[in-house]
Amino acid sequence: MKNAKISNAVINRLPRYRRYLIELEKKGVEKISSKDFSSLIGYTASQIRQDLNNFGGFGQQGYGYSVTGLREEIDAILGLDKEYRMVIMGAGNLGQAITKYAKSLPAGFRVCGVFEVRKELIGTKLDGLEIHDYENIVDFVEREKIDIGIICVNRDSAQEVADRLCFAGVKGIWNFARVDIEVPPHVALEVVQLSDSLHALAYHMNDIKKRSHHGK
Amino acid sequence: MKNAKISNAVINRLPRYRRYLIELEKKGVEKISSKDFSSLIGYTASQIRQDLNNFGGFGQQGYGYSVTGLREEIDAILGLDKEYRMVIMGAGNLGQAITKYAKSLPAGFRVCGVFEVRKELIGTKLDGLEIHDYENIVDFVEREKIDIGIICVNRDSAQEVADRLCFAGVKGIWNFARVDIEVPPHVALEVVQLSDSLHALAYHMNDIKKRSHHGK
């Protein structure tokens, strides 16, 4: 595997390649050419070859890709052959939603606890997971070897919570709070702004409506 | 407002501008220059001016933008001055998570019902919302004037559910299912692939670790 820096655009396409490969595996397909893969996934064949060449290239010229081989390579590149231990920060509506969602995650991603500041919630359970006191987060991350902190607190607390998680030693932050946060360079950050996505949907709906009224 | 087609990249930045403007309003800031806005949000001042010029341009040269004025303009552009009626398709883990999440949405986005095929769930409630029979979705969308269908079913059913929603007359689809779906051109589509985001996070965590081992 090459050690060059891969662009974010490529990284963000890999999970999508992986989803299509899993579908192909289910259907019993063993080999696929970049041309057939292209008609399936909607990227050009040359884009696909270029993306996969970033990782040293799989498949032999003219023989296509081994579906399972390629999926396993992508698993290894993404680090999906490891286990990740996670905590959910905040037991409000968003934290409850993500706790529920996390039940449908693959086995490699495991939620080990939920953290809250509201005393009346501490010690109760959320979907079978104990709600812990936020005051104990640093000890917990160290003791339980937590890799990922999922931020579901309100916007005013998000940066403080992220700072404390990074201090405690998490390697990644998955941010759902409605605010941009900063993390030190040795910590990875991924952001999901669900309301931004919904607002973009609203825009496109109105745009389509406006265009149809203008006779386009 | 101009009627030219605005690029998706610009549309996707508008909700973020809006979040920062709301923070400024809360702090009582009335005017902001593109330079100050730039240091706050991290885009260049020229990028900000260019983005906002797409919509006819706000603010007078040298006077900066009116914070509330700009926020209201963005609300209107995104269509956030209207009400959107939504249905959640699927009452499994993902549907339960999104139903919970929807409670924290602004008033303009309202979930009117949840739909399921599993007979034992139909007629029960999920967070105060009635679970309806999927068989009645077309009638419901027409009668209740539903604008948006939120797809939370499993990957094998997602396209069929989207087809039926589009047939029934929704104007937008918000897809959370782990599969790509297609919609007719008069329907807007926004996709949230939470697991793709988590996989990208795993990649970045491993990449940072690898780089630090290589002494970089």
Side-chain angles (χ1 to χ4, degrees), chain A residues 5 8 11 16 18-20 23 77-78 82 84 96-97 100-101 155 174 180 190 196-197 199 203-204 206-207, chain B residues 5 8 11 16 18-20 23 77-78 82 84 96-97 100-101 155 174 180 190 194 196-197 199 203-204 206-207:
Chain A
K5 187 82 188 163
N8 267 335
I11 302 312
R16 188 152 180 265
R18 185 174 173 274
R19 276 190 281 119
Y20 278 86
E23 290 306 302
I77 291 162
L78 293 175
K82 297 174 192 143
Y84 297 91
Q96 290 173 39
K100 189 66 88 173
Y101 166 72
R155 69 187 91 194
W174 204 19
D180 297 328
E190 269 283 316
D196 284 12
S197 166
H199 291 170
Y203 172 83
H204 290 299
N206 287 295
D207 189 51
Chain B
K5 185 83 188 161
N8 267 336
I11 302 312
R16 189 153 180 266
R18 185 175 173 272
R19 278 191 281 118
Y20 277 86
E23 290 305 302
I77 291 161
L78 293 174
K82 296 173 192 142
Y84 297 91
Q96 289 173 40
K100 188 66 87 173
Y101 166 73
R155 69 187 92 196
W174 204 19
D180 297 328
E190 268 282 317
L194 290 175
D196 284 11
S197 166
H199 291 170
Y203 171 82
H204 290 299
N206 287 295
D207 189 51

Short mmCIF file of all heavy atoms in Angstrom, two decimals, chain A residues 5 8 11 16 18-20 23 77-78 82 84 96-97 100-101 155 174 180 190 196-197 199 203-204 206-207, chain B residues 5 8 11 16 18-20 23 77-78 82 84 96-97 100-101 155 174 180 190 194 196-197 199 203-204 206-207:
data_model
loop_
_atom_site.label_atom_id
_atom_site.label_comp_id
_atom_site.label_asym_id
_atom_site.label_seq_id
_atom_site.Cartn_x
_atom_site.Cartn_y
_atom_site.Cartn_z
N LYS A 5 -0.52 10.75 0.52
CA LYS A 5 -1.77 11.28 1.07
C LYS A 5 -2.88 11.16 0.03
O LYS A 5 -2.76 11.63 -1.09
CB LYS A 5 -1.57 12.75 1.46
CG LYS A 5 -2.74 13.38 2.19
CD LYS A 5 -2.74 13.06 3.67
CE LYS A 5 -4.04 13.54 4.34
NZ LYS A 5 -4.23 12.91 5.65
N ASN A 8 -9.47 13.55 0.16
CA ASN A 8 -10.72 13.27 0.86
C ASN A 8 -11.82 12.79 -0.07
O ASN A 8 -12.63 11.95 0.32
CB ASN A 8 -11.20 14.54 1.57
CG ASN A 8 -10.71 14.60 3.00
OD1 ASN A 8 -10.41 13.57 3.60
ND2 ASN A 8 -10.61 15.79 3.54
N ILE A 11 -11.39 9.10 -0.47
CA ILE A 11 -11.78 8.43 0.78
C ILE A 11 -13.29 8.36 0.91
O ILE A 11 -13.86 7.34 1.29
CB ILE A 11 -11.22 9.20 2.01
CG1 ILE A 11 -9.70 9.31 1.95
CG2 ILE A 11 -11.65 8.53 3.32
CD1 ILE A 11 -8.99 8.05 1.63
N ARG A 16 -18.73 3.93 -0.54
CA ARG A 16 -19.77 3.71 -1.55
C ARG A 16 -19.38 2.52 -2.44
O ARG A 16 -20.22 1.65 -2.72
CB ARG A 16 -19.95 4.99 -2.36
CG ARG A 16 -21.10 4.94 -3.29
CD ARG A 16 -21.68 6.33 -3.58
NE ARG A 16 -22.80 6.17 -4.49
CZ ARG A 16 -22.70 6.29 -5.82
NH1 ARG A 16 -21.56 6.63 -6.37
NH2 ARG A 16 -23.74 6.08 -6.58
N ARG A 18 -17.64 0.12 -1.53
CA ARG A 18 -17.80 -1.03 -0.64
C ARG A 18 -19.26 -1.51 -0.59
O ARG A 18 -19.53 -2.71 -0.65
CB ARG A 18 -17.31 -0.63 0.76
CG ARG A 18 -17.31 -1.76 1.74
CD ARG A 18 -16.67 -1.34 3.05
NE ARG A 18 -16.84 -2.38 4.04
CZ ARG A 18 -17.90 -2.50 4.82
NH1 ARG A 18 -18.89 -1.62 4.74
NH2 ARG A 18 -17.98 -3.50 5.68
N ARG A 19 -20.19 -0.55 -0.50
CA ARG A 19 -21.61 -0.92 -0.44
C ARG A 19 -22.02 -1.69 -1.71
O ARG A 19 -22.74 -2.68 -1.64
CB ARG A 19 -22.49 0.32 -0.29
CG ARG A 19 -22.62 0.76 1.17
CD ARG A 19 -23.68 1.82 1.33
NE ARG A 19 -23.24 3.14 0.95
CZ ARG A 19 -23.76 3.88 -0.01
NH1 ARG A 19 -24.78 3.43 -0.72
NH2 ARG A 19 -23.29 5.07 -0.28
N TYR A 20 -21.56 -1.23 -2.87
CA TYR A 20 -21.90 -1.91 -4.12
C TYR A 20 -21.26 -3.29 -4.19
O TYR A 20 -21.86 -4.25 -4.67
CB TYR A 20 -21.49 -1.05 -5.33
CG TYR A 20 -22.52 0.01 -5.65
CD1 TYR A 20 -22.50 1.24 -5.00
CD2 TYR A 20 -23.54 -0.24 -6.57
CE1 TYR A 20 -23.45 2.20 -5.28
CE2 TYR A 20 -24.49 0.72 -6.85
CZ TYR A 20 -24.45 1.95 -6.20
OH TYR A 20 -25.39 2.89 -6.47
N GLU A 23 -23.26 -5.74 -2.21
CA GLU A 23 -24.44 -6.15 -2.97
C GLU A 23 -24.07 -7.21 -4.01
O GLU A 23 -24.78 -8.19 -4.19
CB GLU A 23 -25.08 -4.96 -3.68
CG GLU A 23 -25.76 -3.97 -2.76
CD GLU A 23 -26.80 -4.63 -1.85
OE1 GLU A 23 -27.73 -5.25 -2.37
OE2 GLU A 23 -26.63 -4.54 -0.61
N ILE A 77 -8.23 -0.90 4.06
CA ILE A 77 -7.86 0.51 3.88
C ILE A 77 -8.64 1.39 4.84
O ILE A 77 -8.09 2.30 5.48
CB ILE A 77 -8.13 0.96 2.42
CG1 ILE A 77 -7.15 0.28 1.47
CG2 ILE A 77 -8.03 2.48 2.29
CD1 ILE A 77 -7.58 0.29 0.03
N LEU A 78 -9.94 1.12 4.95
CA LEU A 78 -10.78 1.94 5.83
C LEU A 78 -10.54 1.60 7.30
O LEU A 78 -10.96 2.34 8.19
CB LEU A 78 -12.26 1.74 5.49
CG LEU A 78 -12.73 2.27 4.13
CD1 LEU A 78 -14.18 1.89 3.88
CD2 LEU A 78 -12.57 3.79 4.06
N LYS A 82 -10.78 -3.74 12.21
CA LYS A 82 -10.48 -3.54 13.63
C LYS A 82 -11.77 -3.27 14.41
O LYS A 82 -12.82 -3.08 13.82
CB LYS A 82 -9.55 -2.33 13.79
CG LYS A 82 -8.23 -2.55 13.12
CD LYS A 82 -7.36 -1.32 13.15
CE LYS A 82 -6.18 -1.52 12.20
NZ LYS A 82 -5.80 -0.31 11.49
N TYR A 84 -13.75 -0.71 17.06
CA TYR A 84 -13.75 0.67 17.54
C TYR A 84 -14.69 0.78 18.73
O TYR A 84 -15.84 0.36 18.65
CB TYR A 84 -14.17 1.64 16.44
CG TYR A 84 -13.20 1.60 15.29
CD1 TYR A 84 -13.37 0.73 14.22
CD2 TYR A 84 -12.06 2.40 15.31
CE1 TYR A 84 -12.44 0.65 13.20
CE2 TYR A 84 -11.12 2.34 14.28
CZ TYR A 84 -11.33 1.47 13.24
OH TYR A 84 -10.41 1.40 12.23
N GLN A 96 -30.15 10.40 22.11
CA GLN A 96 -31.06 9.25 22.09
C GLN A 96 -31.19 8.71 20.67
O GLN A 96 -31.22 7.49 20.46
CB GLN A 96 -32.44 9.66 22.61
CG GLN A 96 -32.47 9.96 24.11
CD GLN A 96 -33.82 10.51 24.56
OE1 GLN A 96 -34.88 10.08 24.09
NE2 GLN A 96 -33.79 11.49 25.45
N ALA A 97 -31.26 9.62 19.70
CA ALA A 97 -31.37 9.19 18.29
C ALA A 97 -30.14 8.41 17.86
O ALA A 97 -30.25 7.35 17.25
CB ALA A 97 -31.57 10.41 17.39
N LYS A 100 -29.89 4.98 19.41
CA LYS A 100 -30.79 4.08 18.69
C LYS A 100 -30.16 3.67 17.36
O LYS A 100 -30.14 2.49 17.00
CB LYS A 100 -32.11 4.83 18.45
CG LYS A 100 -33.24 4.02 17.92
CD LYS A 100 -33.71 2.99 18.89
CE LYS A 100 -34.77 3.51 19.85
NZ LYS A 100 -35.31 2.40 20.68
N TYR A 101 -29.65 4.63 16.63
CA TYR A 101 -29.02 4.36 15.34
C TYR A 101 -27.85 3.39 15.48
O TYR A 101 -27.68 2.48 14.66
CB TYR A 101 -28.53 5.66 14.70
CG TYR A 101 -27.59 5.41 13.55
CD1 TYR A 101 -28.07 4.92 12.34
CD2 TYR A 101 -26.22 5.61 13.69
CE1 TYR A 101 -27.22 4.65 11.29
CE2 TYR A 101 -25.36 5.34 12.64
CZ TYR A 101 -25.86 4.86 11.45
OH TYR A 101 -25.00 4.58 10.42
N ARG A 155 -25.05 23.16 21.04
CA ARG A 155 -23.94 23.85 20.38
C ARG A 155 -23.03 24.59 21.36
O ARG A 155 -21.84 24.74 21.10
CB ARG A 155 -24.45 24.76 19.28
CG ARG A 155 -25.22 25.97 19.72
CD ARG A 155 -25.81 26.70 18.51
NE ARG A 155 -27.15 26.19 18.23
CZ ARG A 155 -27.81 26.43 17.11
NH1 ARG A 155 -27.25 27.14 16.14
NH2 ARG A 155 -29.02 25.97 16.93
N TRP A 174 -16.76 12.17 16.14
CA TRP A 174 -17.85 12.19 15.17
C TRP A 174 -18.84 13.24 15.66
O TRP A 174 -19.53 13.00 16.66
CB TRP A 174 -18.48 10.79 15.10
CG TRP A 174 -19.19 10.48 13.82
CD1 TRP A 174 -19.05 11.10 12.62
CD2 TRP A 174 -20.15 9.42 13.61
NE1 TRP A 174 -19.86 10.51 11.67
CE2 TRP A 174 -20.54 9.47 12.24
CE3 TRP A 174 -20.71 8.43 14.42
CZ2 TRP A 174 -21.47 8.60 11.69
CZ3 TRP A 174 -21.63 7.55 13.87
CH2 TRP A 174 -22.00 7.62 12.52
N ASP A 180 -19.62 24.12 14.35
CA ASP A 180 -18.31 23.62 13.91
C ASP A 180 -17.37 23.57 15.11
O ASP A 180 -17.33 24.52 15.90
CB ASP A 180 -17.73 24.54 12.84
CG ASP A 180 -18.60 24.55 11.59
OD1 ASP A 180 -19.21 23.51 11.30
OD2 ASP A 180 -18.68 25.59 10.92
N GLU A 190 -14.95 13.87 11.87
CA GLU A 190 -15.96 13.77 10.82
C GLU A 190 -17.23 14.46 11.32
O GLU A 190 -17.59 14.33 12.50
CB GLU A 190 -16.28 12.31 10.47
CG GLU A 190 -15.43 11.72 9.36
CD GLU A 190 -15.86 12.16 7.97
OE1 GLU A 190 -17.09 12.19 7.69
OE2 GLU A 190 -14.97 12.49 7.16
N ASP A 196 -28.26 20.77 8.00
CA ASP A 196 -27.76 21.36 6.75
C ASP A 196 -28.29 20.56 5.56
O ASP A 196 -28.67 21.13 4.52
CB ASP A 196 -26.22 21.35 6.69
CG ASP A 196 -25.59 22.44 7.58
OD1 ASP A 196 -26.32 23.04 8.38
OD2 ASP A 196 -24.37 22.67 7.46
N SER A 197 -28.31 19.24 5.70
CA SER A 197 -28.79 18.38 4.62
C SER A 197 -30.28 18.62 4.36
O SER A 197 -30.73 18.71 3.21
CB SER A 197 -28.51 16.92 4.98
OG SER A 197 -29.21 16.04 4.14
N HIS A 199 -31.93 21.37 5.05
CA HIS A 199 -32.07 22.71 4.46
C HIS A 199 -31.75 22.69 2.96
O HIS A 199 -32.41 23.36 2.17
CB HIS A 199 -31.17 23.72 5.19
CG HIS A 199 -31.63 24.00 6.59
ND1 HIS A 199 -30.88 24.69 7.49
CD2 HIS A 199 -32.77 23.66 7.23
CE1 HIS A 199 -31.55 24.77 8.64
NE2 HIS A 199 -32.69 24.15 8.51
N TYR A 203 -34.18 23.70 -0.19
CA TYR A 203 -33.78 24.55 -1.30
C TYR A 203 -34.09 23.90 -2.65
O TYR A 203 -34.70 24.51 -3.53
CB TYR A 203 -32.29 24.91 -1.23
CG TYR A 203 -31.85 25.62 -2.49
CD1 TYR A 203 -32.06 26.99 -2.63
CD2 TYR A 203 -31.32 24.92 -3.58
CE1 TYR A 203 -31.73 27.64 -3.80
CE2 TYR A 203 -30.99 25.57 -4.75
CZ TYR A 203 -31.20 26.93 -4.86
OH TYR A 203 -30.88 27.58 -6.02
N HIS A 204 -33.66 22.65 -2.80
CA HIS A 204 -33.84 21.98 -4.10
C HIS A 204 -35.32 21.81 -4.45
O HIS A 204 -35.70 21.93 -5.61
CB HIS A 204 -33.11 20.63 -4.11
CG HIS A 204 -31.61 20.78 -4.11
ND1 HIS A 204 -30.93 21.41 -5.12
CD2 HIS A 204 -30.67 20.41 -3.20
CE1 HIS A 204 -29.63 21.42 -4.86
NE2 HIS A 204 -29.46 20.82 -3.69
N ASN A 206 -37.76 23.84 -3.58
CA ASN A 206 -38.25 25.16 -4.02
C ASN A 206 -37.70 25.55 -5.37
O ASN A 206 -38.38 26.19 -6.17
CB ASN A 206 -37.92 26.21 -2.97
CG ASN A 206 -38.80 26.05 -1.75
OD1 ASN A 206 -40.00 26.23 -1.83
ND2 ASN A 206 -38.21 25.67 -0.63
N ASP A 207 -36.45 25.14 -5.63
CA ASP A 207 -35.81 25.46 -6.89
C ASP A 207 -36.52 24.74 -8.05
O ASP A 207 -36.79 25.35 -9.09
CB ASP A 207 -34.34 25.03 -6.81
CG ASP A 207 -33.54 25.52 -8.01
OD1 ASP A 207 -33.63 26.73 -8.31
OD2 ASP A 207 -32.86 24.69 -8.64
N LYS B 5 -28.95 28.77 -12.46
CA LYS B 5 -28.76 27.55 -11.65
C LYS B 5 -27.54 27.75 -10.73
O LYS B 5 -26.45 28.07 -11.19
CB LYS B 5 -28.53 26.36 -12.60
CG LYS B 5 -28.43 25.01 -11.89
CD LYS B 5 -29.79 24.42 -11.59
CE LYS B 5 -29.65 23.16 -10.71
NZ LYS B 5 -30.90 22.83 -10.05
N ASN B 8 -24.35 23.16 -6.51
CA ASN B 8 -24.60 22.44 -5.27
C ASN B 8 -23.64 22.84 -4.16
O ASN B 8 -24.01 22.89 -2.99
CB ASN B 8 -24.48 20.93 -5.49
CG ASN B 8 -25.82 20.31 -5.83
OD1 ASN B 8 -26.86 20.87 -5.47
ND2 ASN B 8 -25.79 19.18 -6.50
N ILE B 11 -25.02 25.90 -2.53
CA ILE B 11 -26.22 25.54 -1.75
C ILE B 11 -25.81 24.88 -0.43
O ILE B 11 -26.37 25.16 0.62
CB ILE B 11 -27.12 24.56 -2.54
CG1 ILE B 11 -27.55 25.16 -3.88
CG2 ILE B 11 -28.34 24.15 -1.72
CD1 ILE B 11 -28.08 26.54 -3.80
N ARG B 16 -24.57 26.57 6.41
CA ARG B 16 -23.46 26.85 7.32
C ARG B 16 -23.35 28.36 7.57
O ARG B 16 -23.20 28.80 8.72
CB ARG B 16 -22.16 26.30 6.72
CG ARG B 16 -21.01 26.35 7.67
CD ARG B 16 -19.96 25.26 7.35
NE ARG B 16 -18.88 25.37 8.29
CZ ARG B 16 -17.75 26.07 8.07
NH1 ARG B 16 -17.56 26.65 6.91
NH2 ARG B 16 -16.84 26.16 9.00
N ARG B 18 -25.74 30.33 7.50
CA ARG B 18 -26.91 30.61 8.34
C ARG B 18 -26.64 30.31 9.81
O ARG B 18 -27.00 31.09 10.69
CB ARG B 18 -28.09 29.78 7.82
CG ARG B 18 -29.39 30.06 8.51
CD ARG B 18 -30.52 29.29 7.86
NE ARG B 18 -31.73 29.44 8.64
CZ ARG B 18 -32.04 28.66 9.65
NH1 ARG B 18 -31.26 27.67 10.00
NH2 ARG B 18 -33.16 28.88 10.33
N ARG B 19 -25.98 29.17 10.08
CA ARG B 19 -25.68 28.83 11.48
C ARG B 19 -24.81 29.89 12.14
O ARG B 19 -25.04 30.27 13.29
CB ARG B 19 -24.98 27.46 11.55
CG ARG B 19 -25.96 26.30 11.51
CD ARG B 19 -25.28 24.99 11.84
NE ARG B 19 -24.53 24.44 10.73
CZ ARG B 19 -23.23 24.22 10.71
NH1 ARG B 19 -22.49 24.52 11.77
NH2 ARG B 19 -22.66 23.70 9.64
N TYR B 20 -23.82 30.39 11.39
CA TYR B 20 -22.94 31.42 11.96
C TYR B 20 -23.69 32.73 12.18
O TYR B 20 -23.48 33.42 13.17
CB TYR B 20 -21.71 31.63 11.06
CG TYR B 20 -20.64 30.61 11.32
CD1 TYR B 20 -20.65 29.38 10.70
CD2 TYR B 20 -19.62 30.87 12.24
CE1 TYR B 20 -19.67 28.42 10.95
CE2 TYR B 20 -18.64 29.93 12.52
CZ TYR B 20 -18.67 28.71 11.86
OH TYR B 20 -17.71 27.77 12.13
N GLU B 23 -25.67 32.59 15.34
CA GLU B 23 -24.79 32.80 16.50
C GLU B 23 -24.51 34.30 16.69
O GLU B 23 -24.53 34.81 17.80
CB GLU B 23 -23.46 32.05 16.34
CG GLU B 23 -23.59 30.54 16.43
CD GLU B 23 -24.26 30.09 17.72
OE1 GLU B 23 -23.74 30.43 18.80
OE2 GLU B 23 -25.30 29.43 17.64
N ILE B 77 -34.15 32.00 0.63
CA ILE B 77 -33.53 31.24 -0.46
C ILE B 77 -33.69 29.74 -0.22
O ILE B 77 -34.03 28.97 -1.12
CB ILE B 77 -32.03 31.60 -0.59
CG1 ILE B 77 -31.88 33.03 -1.11
CG2 ILE B 77 -31.31 30.60 -1.51
CD1 ILE B 77 -30.51 33.61 -0.85
N LEU B 78 -33.44 29.32 1.03
CA LEU B 78 -33.53 27.89 1.36
C LEU B 78 -34.99 27.44 1.46
O LEU B 78 -35.27 26.25 1.48
CB LEU B 78 -32.80 27.60 2.67
CG LEU B 78 -31.28 27.77 2.67
CD1 LEU B 78 -30.72 27.59 4.08
CD2 LEU B 78 -30.63 26.76 1.72
N LYS B 82 -41.24 28.55 4.93
CA LYS B 82 -42.45 27.75 4.69
C LYS B 82 -42.54 26.60 5.68
O LYS B 82 -41.59 26.33 6.42
CB LYS B 82 -42.41 27.17 3.26
CG LYS B 82 -42.44 28.27 2.23
CD LYS B 82 -42.22 27.72 0.83
CE LYS B 82 -41.95 28.87 -0.12
NZ LYS B 82 -40.93 28.55 -1.12
N TYR B 84 -42.96 22.43 6.13
CA TYR B 84 -42.79 21.18 5.42
C TYR B 84 -43.40 20.06 6.24
O TYR B 84 -43.12 19.93 7.42
CB TYR B 84 -41.31 20.90 5.16
CG TYR B 84 -40.71 21.97 4.28
CD1 TYR B 84 -40.12 23.09 4.83
CD2 TYR B 84 -40.80 21.87 2.90
CE1 TYR B 84 -39.61 24.10 4.02
CE2 TYR B 84 -40.30 22.87 2.09
CZ TYR B 84 -39.71 23.98 2.65
OH TYR B 84 -39.22 24.98 1.85
N GLN B 96 -36.71 4.71 14.13
CA GLN B 96 -36.86 5.16 15.52
C GLN B 96 -35.87 6.29 15.82
O GLN B 96 -36.19 7.27 16.49
CB GLN B 96 -36.63 4.01 16.49
CG GLN B 96 -37.74 2.97 16.48
CD GLN B 96 -37.40 1.75 17.33
OE1 GLN B 96 -36.84 1.87 18.41
NE2 GLN B 96 -37.73 0.57 16.83
N ALA B 97 -34.63 6.12 15.31
CA ALA B 97 -33.60 7.14 15.53
C ALA B 97 -34.01 8.47 14.89
O ALA B 97 -33.92 9.53 15.52
CB ALA B 97 -32.26 6.67 14.97
N LYS B 100 -36.83 10.22 16.68
CA LYS B 100 -36.29 10.88 17.87
C LYS B 100 -35.57 12.17 17.47
O LYS B 100 -35.78 13.23 18.06
CB LYS B 100 -35.33 9.90 18.54
CG LYS B 100 -34.80 10.30 19.88
CD LYS B 100 -35.89 10.35 20.92
CE LYS B 100 -36.13 9.00 21.59
NZ LYS B 100 -37.08 9.15 22.71
N TYR B 101 -34.76 12.06 16.45
CA TYR B 101 -34.01 13.24 15.98
C TYR B 101 -34.96 14.36 15.55
O TYR B 101 -34.72 15.54 15.83
CB TYR B 101 -33.09 12.87 14.81
CG TYR B 101 -32.56 14.08 14.08
CD1 TYR B 101 -31.59 14.88 14.67
CD2 TYR B 101 -33.06 14.45 12.84
CE1 TYR B 101 -31.13 16.02 14.03
CE2 TYR B 101 -32.61 15.58 12.19
CZ TYR B 101 -31.64 16.36 12.79
OH TYR B 101 -31.20 17.49 12.16
N ARG B 155 -32.20 -1.76 2.85
CA ARG B 155 -31.75 -1.43 1.49
C ARG B 155 -32.57 -2.11 0.39
O ARG B 155 -32.71 -1.57 -0.69
CB ARG B 155 -30.26 -1.71 1.32
CG ARG B 155 -29.85 -3.15 1.35
CD ARG B 155 -28.34 -3.27 1.34
NE ARG B 155 -27.83 -3.35 2.71
CZ ARG B 155 -26.56 -3.17 3.06
NH1 ARG B 155 -25.67 -2.86 2.16
NH2 ARG B 155 -26.18 -3.29 4.30
N TRP B 174 -35.69 12.35 1.54
CA TRP B 174 -34.48 12.42 2.37
C TRP B 174 -34.11 10.97 2.67
O TRP B 174 -34.81 10.29 3.42
CB TRP B 174 -34.80 13.19 3.66
CG TRP B 174 -33.61 13.82 4.33
CD1 TRP B 174 -32.40 14.09 3.77
CD2 TRP B 174 -33.54 14.29 5.69
NE1 TRP B 174 -31.58 14.70 4.71
CE2 TRP B 174 -32.25 14.83 5.88
CE3 TRP B 174 -34.44 14.31 6.77
CZ2 TRP B 174 -31.84 15.38 7.10
CZ3 TRP B 174 -34.03 14.86 7.97
CH2 TRP B 174 -32.74 15.38 8.13
N ASP B 180 -28.12 3.49 -2.72
CA ASP B 180 -28.43 4.64 -3.58
C ASP B 180 -29.77 4.42 -4.25
O ASP B 180 -30.04 3.33 -4.74
CB ASP B 180 -27.33 4.81 -4.63
CG ASP B 180 -25.98 5.12 -3.99
OD1 ASP B 180 -25.98 5.78 -2.94
OD2 ASP B 180 -24.95 4.70 -4.54
N GLU B 190 -32.04 14.22 -1.22
CA GLU B 190 -30.85 14.44 -0.40
C GLU B 190 -30.55 13.14 0.32
O GLU B 190 -31.45 12.44 0.79
CB GLU B 190 -31.07 15.56 0.63
CG GLU B 190 -30.66 16.94 0.16
CD GLU B 190 -29.16 17.19 0.20
OE1 GLU B 190 -28.50 16.80 1.19
OE2 GLU B 190 -28.65 17.77 -0.78
N LEU B 194 -24.88 7.78 6.92
CA LEU B 194 -24.17 7.88 8.20
C LEU B 194 -23.02 6.89 8.27
O LEU B 194 -21.94 7.22 8.76
CB LEU B 194 -25.14 7.64 9.36
CG LEU B 194 -26.17 8.76 9.59
CD1 LEU B 194 -27.15 8.35 10.69
CD2 LEU B 194 -25.48 10.06 9.97
N ASP B 196 -21.21 5.71 5.84
CA ASP B 196 -20.09 6.18 5.01
C ASP B 196 -19.24 7.18 5.79
O ASP B 196 -18.00 7.17 5.72
CB ASP B 196 -20.58 6.87 3.72
CG ASP B 196 -21.08 5.87 2.67
OD1 ASP B 196 -21.24 4.68 3.01
OD2 ASP B 196 -21.32 6.28 1.53
N SER B 197 -19.91 8.06 6.54
CA SER B 197 -19.20 9.07 7.33
C SER B 197 -18.36 8.40 8.43
O SER B 197 -17.21 8.77 8.67
CB SER B 197 -20.22 10.04 7.92
OG SER B 197 -19.66 10.84 8.92
N HIS B 199 -17.19 5.32 8.34
CA HIS B 199 -16.09 4.62 7.68
C HIS B 199 -14.96 5.59 7.30
O HIS B 199 -13.79 5.25 7.43
CB HIS B 199 -16.59 3.88 6.44
CG HIS B 199 -17.48 2.72 6.78
ND1 HIS B 199 -18.20 2.03 5.85
CD2 HIS B 199 -17.75 2.12 7.97
CE1 HIS B 199 -18.89 1.07 6.45
NE2 HIS B 199 -18.63 1.11 7.73
N TYR B 203 -11.05 5.55 8.55
CA TYR B 203 -9.90 5.69 7.67
C TYR B 203 -8.96 6.78 8.17
O TYR B 203 -7.75 6.57 8.27
CB TYR B 203 -10.34 6.05 6.23
CG TYR B 203 -9.14 6.40 5.38
CD1 TYR B 203 -8.37 5.40 4.80
CD2 TYR B 203 -8.74 7.72 5.24
CE1 TYR B 203 -7.23 5.72 4.07
CE2 TYR B 203 -7.60 8.05 4.52
CZ TYR B 203 -6.85 7.04 3.94
OH TYR B 203 -5.72 7.34 3.24
N HIS B 204 -9.49 7.95 8.50
CA HIS B 204 -8.63 9.07 8.91
C HIS B 204 -7.90 8.76 10.21
O HIS B 204 -6.74 9.14 10.38
CB HIS B 204 -9.45 10.35 9.04
CG HIS B 204 -9.92 10.89 7.71
ND1 HIS B 204 -9.04 11.27 6.73
CD2 HIS B 204 -11.15 11.07 7.20
CE1 HIS B 204 -9.73 11.69 5.67
NE2 HIS B 204 -11.01 11.56 5.94
N ASN B 206 -6.89 5.79 11.21
CA ASN B 206 -5.80 4.87 10.88
C ASN B 206 -4.70 5.55 10.10
O ASN B 206 -3.52 5.24 10.25
CB ASN B 206 -6.35 3.67 10.10
CG ASN B 206 -7.12 2.75 11.02
OD1 ASN B 206 -6.55 2.15 11.92
ND2 ASN B 206 -8.42 2.67 10.83
N ASP B 207 -5.09 6.50 9.25
CA ASP B 207 -4.13 7.24 8.45
C ASP B 207 -3.22 8.09 9.35
O ASP B 207 -2.00 8.10 9.17
CB ASP B 207 -4.90 8.13 7.46
CG ASP B 207 -3.97 8.78 6.44
OD1 ASP B 207 -3.18 8.03 5.82
OD2 ASP B 207 -4.03 10.00 6.27
#
